[in-house]
Amino acid sequence: MTQDFTDMIYLLSCGALGICPQLDHDINFDKIYRLACEQNVWDIVFLAVKKMYESGKLSITPELFSNLKGQTIAAVLANTNRLYLIHQLTDSFLQKGIRYCILKGETLSYLYNDHNCRISSDTDIFINKTDKETAIDVLEQHGYVVKPLNTISNQIHAIHPIAGFIEVHLALYNEISADVWFDNKILITEDYRLIKCDDGKEIFALGINDGLVFLALHYIKHFLSRGVGIRQLMDLLLYVRKYKKDIDWERFNQLLEHLNYKKFFDNSIGIGVKYLNIKEEDMPEYRRDDSIIGRLLSDIESGGVFGGNEDSRIGFSYNYTKERFHRFKNEDYDVYVKKWWRPNVIKAIFPSVRSIAVKFPYVKKTPLLYPVAWIHRAIKLLTGIIKKEKSVYKYINPQKAVENNETIKKRMELIRELDMI
């Protein structure tokens, strides 16, 4: 972990908590700005930068500060417009009888000192699987372009020119993550709760204990998939701080112990206490290892948000899944994967009319054009495989499309040290 990253996450915590930064050294502003953008936290960091600039503790030109301020104001206004449209969408869900709740995003922004600057790049909504087709209809009526549904995905992906990217979850996690990583222990046990928004609307969120389980395991899921960002950790720490007295810690700790993720959670709290201005008394009891903390933060820094900075991390989750498999399973891994993938092969080969029409809009004119679109799709796929732009294993057995490399080996060493297998 570099000093610049240490400074950046310190400023992030000051912005999140409304603290005036107290630094005893000069900072490399250009690098901090770049790192904050890579982690998608610049708007929160700016709150701390603003305090430093106005108190004379940061030497940047008035022109640069004015540009940064304007950039942040524009981001806040765009987010306000985005949330307005999301609220219209969720109102329509209720009118159509769709039971929903917002995962993360706006429901977490109110944990921050200035919630307007905790800006999400997308919106996650959870609904029942039985409401999938109705939800797609509502999305399209509101001007969203719904992307083709991946046969093994638990999400509907849609995009809107103003509301941005939206993920409608039909399950909290995909089948293999839920089964192999989380032993199918992730259940919704509480009623949804209502959170009042700035515009007077009320949106549904998970219950307090269910919310903690989801947040913690979502944070863990991203770490295990490819990489996790510092904002996901900040969300989790602020949630724990806010609801510490309301959380059933016995239930939560038993779950983490069962899944072998307690050491990772404890060291994540350790990061908060050591680097993010989180008070120890606001956290549950934990044990930390400063050596592990440093390696975790280095992993977050080098990976950027969700590990996107390093393509060499692609496929890490498959390596982890293979090593994790026998913690809860008593069967052959390759047989298990084939059994999981086989039912999806036919769906992958013959997608629904609705799914194929998203990629080939001419099918919307008449379903009779489905064979034409199917051939069109097959030719594009074959061309991609010939040009080596796509791997045939992605469609036959995606687990075999992964190459091991030094980055993956290094991350697996950290995983073993955290006892996450």
Side-chain angles (χ1 to χ4, degrees):
M1 177 177 61
T2 64
Q3 182 61 50
D4 296 323
F5 190 73
T6 303
D7 290 340
M8 190 278 288
I9 64 173
Y10 169 74
L11 292 176
L12 165 67
S13 70
C14 291
L17 299 170
I19 297 172
C20 186
Q22 302 292 329
L23 289 166
D24 58 3
H25 60 274
D26 293 333
I27 61 172
N28 187 328
F29 182 79
D30 290 342
K31 287 189 176 180
I32 284 174
Y33 177 77
R34 177 181 60 80
L35 288 165
C37 291
E38 286 179 359
Q39 294 286 331
N40 199 21
V41 294
W42 166 250
D43 299 306
I44 305 170
V45 171
F46 174 75
L47 297 172
V49 167
K50 181 173 180 288
K51 289 182 187 295
M52 291 182 68
Y53 178 80
E54 291 175 345
S55 62
K57 296 178 181 177
L58 178 63
S59 297
I60 59 175
T61 66
E63 292 77 15
L64 175 57
F65 177 76
S66 179
N67 287 338
L68 294 171
K69 184 178 180 180
Q71 173 185 320
T72 303
I73 291 171
V76 170
L77 290 174
N79 190 56
T80 301
N81 291 334
R82 184 179 70 84
L83 293 178
Y84 172 76
L85 293 176
I86 294 297
H87 295 165
Q88 287 188 324
L89 177 69
T90 54
D91 283 348
S92 293
F93 276 177
L94 290 178
Q95 290 167 10
K96 292 291 185 178
I98 299 175
R99 184 172 181 264
Y100 81 90
C101 76
I102 301 290
L103 302 172
K104 309 179 282 103
E106 188 179 12
T107 64
L108 300 178
S109 66
Y110 297 101
L111 302 173
Y112 287 72
N113 183 67
D114 185 338
H115 62 266
N116 290 307
C117 287
R118 195 283 185 194
I119 299 173
S120 296
S121 57
D122 58 11
T123 302
D124 295 83
I125 304 178
F126 177 67
I127 66 170
N128 294 324
K129 288 181 181 179
T130 53
D131 292 323
K132 181 180 76 171
E133 295 300 326
T134 307
I136 291 174
D137 286 337
V138 173
L139 284 163
E140 291 179 340
Q141 289 165 13
H142 279 261
Y144 290 83
V145 176
V146 179
K147 296 186 177 183
L149 271 66
N150 187 317
T151 56
I152 60 170
S153 177
N154 65 319
Q155 302 165 359
I156 300 166
H157 291 169
I159 192 163
H160 187 279
I162 297 173
F165 188 65
I166 187 168
E167 295 182 357
V168 180
H169 297 249
L170 308 174
L172 292 178
Y173 300 100
N174 68 46
E175 187 178 337
I176 282 191
S177 296
D179 193 21
V180 179
W181 298 3
F182 303 143
D183 196 28
N184 294 307
K185 298 294 184 184
I186 316 309
L187 305 172
I188 293 179
T189 63
E190 301 169 315
D191 291 334
Y192 294 163
R193 58 198 173 96
L194 283 169
I195 292 180
K196 192 166 186 178
C197 305
D198 288 344
D199 61 2
K201 295 281 188 181
E202 290 183 320
I203 55 175
F204 286 98
L206 291 170
I208 288 174
N209 287 288
D210 287 344
L212 175 62
V213 170
F214 174 76
L215 261 187
L217 296 190
H218 188 78
Y219 165 69
I220 291 168
K221 185 208 79 167
H222 276 298
F223 177 69
L224 297 175
S225 297
R226 183 167 170 176
V228 71
I230 196 67
R231 192 184 70 186
Q232 286 66 47
L233 174 56
M234 198 74 214
D235 287 345
L236 178 59
L237 295 170
L238 294 180
Y239 190 96
V240 169
R241 186 181 77 149
K242 171 73 173 178
Y243 298 112
K244 179 185 176 184
K245 294 180 180 178
D246 303 309
I247 291 167
D248 182 347
W249 287 107
E250 182 178 0
R251 170 199 167 191
F252 181 72
N253 287 330
Q254 283 178 353
L255 175 64
L256 290 192
E257 293 284 1
H258 174 75
L259 298 177
N260 254 43
Y261 296 146
K262 183 67 163 64
K263 189 172 181 180
F264 178 71
F265 180 76
D266 279 4
N267 279 287
S268 297
I269 290 177
I271 291 173
V273 172
K274 186 172 183 180
Y275 292 100
L276 299 174
N277 279 307
I278 298 295
K279 295 180 181 177
E280 207 155 31
E281 58 266 29
D282 290 335
M283 294 290 107
E285 292 184 10
Y286 71 99
R287 293 180 180 179
R288 87 183 193 207
D289 181 324
D290 285 353
S291 173
I292 288 178
I293 283 175
R295 292 172 67 190
L296 282 173
L297 284 171
S298 292
D299 186 77
I300 293 173
E301 177 179 7
S302 61
V305 67
F306 305 138
N309 280 3
E310 295 181 325
D311 287 342
S312 53
R313 295 181 180 217
I314 295 173
F316 174 82
S317 63
Y318 291 134
N319 285 267
Y320 173 75
T321 301
K322 189 170 185 176
E323 291 208 28
R324 168 77 167 183
F325 183 73
H326 291 292
R327 168 155 289 278
F328 303 117
K329 300 293 174 188
N330 248 342
E331 55 185 301
D332 182 87
Y333 173 73
D334 290 330
V335 172
Y336 172 88
V337 171
K338 288 177 183 176
K339 184 172 65 177
W340 164 72
W341 181 248
R342 194 176 295 118
N344 296 296
V345 172
I346 298 301
K347 293 179 183 177
I349 296 173
F350 298 104
S352 68
V353 173
R354 186 165 203 163
S355 292
I356 206 168
V358 175
K359 202 158 192 177
F360 304 100
Y362 55 79
V363 178
K364 293 179 181 179
K365 295 178 181 178
T366 171
L368 295 176
L369 290 173
Y370 179 90
V372 177
W374 188 90
I375 294 171
H376 190 173
R377 178 174 177 268
I379 291 171
K380 288 187 70 174
L381 172 60
L382 185 61
T383 303
I385 291 172
I386 291 171
K387 291 181 176 179
K388 296 184 179 181
E389 295 171 352
K390 296 180 180 180
S391 168
V392 69
Y393 285 121
K394 179 181 177 182
Y395 302 92
I396 298 174
N397 184 346
Q399 304 261 359
K400 290 190 175 181
V402 180
E403 293 182 7
N404 214 339
N405 57 54
E406 288 306 312
T407 301
I408 289 176
K409 289 176 183 176
K410 184 178 177 182
R411 294 197 84 230
M412 284 304 301
E413 288 174 6
L414 179 57
I415 289 287
R416 293 187 191 98
E417 192 169 346
L418 285 161
D419 298 328
M420 298 181 81
I421 304 295

